Amino acid sequence: MTSILRRDDDRLPSSDRMIAFTDAAVAIALTLLVLPLVDIVPEAARAGEPAKAVITNNLAPIGSFLLSFAVIARFWTAHHRLFGFEHRLTRALVQLNLLWVLTIAVLPFPTEMIASFNTRMFVVPFYLAVLLVCSASLTTMTVMMRRTAVADGNDDGVPESFVVGSLASTTTIVIALVVVLAIPSVGPWAFFILLADAVIEPLIRRLRGDRVARRDASA
């Protein structure tokens, strides 16, 4: 059985290769975000519009670009920090990372929808749903890497504080999605809920602490 597990691990990519692939996918997604804005310039020039009209007449696509750039940058920063800790790759971890990359690659699609359609009824919930899958996959990786580090006795693995922060980030997205589904008129204002991590973290920390305490007591 041990030899089979070892052979399975040998089929996994190296951590450096997986991270390089992930970084490349993020860079491509960021490039795709800006392409619709680039297309606006020649269209405005052909229509004889003044240069400033490229900005003033396209605040929605510019705003959606900045929003998604900030979101991807935030997720990439968290991913970069996560894999900066000592870790051991597993098949499940590689598959979850591919799911995370998929959500990053998809994000330019709802970004363009926000710039082009009514954002209240479908587009904002769809955008938040993509973010939820992205954040949930990253959080699941965080928890798995934390458990692996604890099982291996690795003191340089993912710390508990990082797990709490990741869980708080995912929780805020869940709250934002519930709010916009319950009150569609909130629309894009729901994105401001994503800034409430600092409010959620103490609650997550307390819940995690209570759970660990109960587990230690039962052990």
Side-chain angles (χ1 to χ4, degrees):
M1 184 67 172
T2 302
S3 62
I4 294 175
L5 292 175
R6 187 177 296 113
R7 287 198 297 271
D8 285 343
D9 290 343
D10 290 342
R11 297 191 184 100
L12 297 175
S14 66
S15 180
D16 289 344
R17 185 177 181 184
M18 188 187 77
I19 293 171
F21 167 78
T22 302
D23 289 347
V26 171
I28 292 171
L30 290 174
T31 302
L32 291 176
L33 285 177
V34 79
L35 290 182
L37 298 182
V38 174
D39 293 337
I40 290 172
V41 177
E43 292 175 2
R46 284 193 297 267
E49 297 178 357
K52 66 178 181 180
V54 175
I55 304 297
T56 57
N57 294 343
N58 296 282
L59 294 179
I62 291 172
S64 62
F65 161 73
L66 293 175
L67 170 66
S68 290
F69 187 95
V71 166
I72 292 178
R74 183 180 182 185
F75 276 122
W76 177 82
T77 300
H79 186 280
H80 176 71
R81 289 183 57 207
L82 175 63
F83 282 89
F85 297 112
E86 289 291 331
H87 59 276
R88 173 167 57 86
L89 287 188
T90 63
R91 186 170 300 278
L93 191 61
V94 172
Q95 291 172 344
L96 278 169
N97 189 73
L98 288 173
L99 175 61
W100 185 83
V101 170
L102 172 64
T103 60
I104 295 295
V106 166
L107 199 57
F109 176 54
T111 299
E112 182 66 12
M113 293 180 69
I114 285 180
S116 305
F117 294 97
N118 184 302
T119 59
R120 292 184 179 181
M121 298 306 296
F122 174 77
V123 179
V124 170
F126 177 52
Y127 189 100
L128 287 171
V130 174
L131 293 192
L132 179 57
V133 177
C134 182
S135 184
S137 59
L138 187 63
T139 296
T140 304
M141 285 191 286
T142 302
V143 172
M144 289 177 59
M145 291 169 68
R146 169 66 178 169
R147 290 179 176 176
T148 300
V150 170
D152 293 346
N154 186 358
D155 294 333
D156 295 323
V158 179
E160 176 66 17
S161 60
F162 196 92
V163 176
V164 170
S166 188
L167 286 168
S169 180
T170 300
T171 301
T172 58
I173 298 176
V174 171
I175 294 172
L177 182 57
V178 170
V179 168
V180 81
L181 288 174
I183 314 173
S185 60
V186 171
W189 294 104
F191 291 131
F192 285 100
I193 299 175
L194 304 183
L195 302 176
D197 291 8
V199 178
I200 302 297
E201 279 192 25
L203 176 61
I204 299 294
R205 188 177 297 109
R206 180 175 179 178
L207 291 174
R208 292 276 298 177
D210 290 347
R211 193 188 71 175
V212 171
R214 288 196 301 270
R215 185 182 62 193
D216 293 343
S218 62

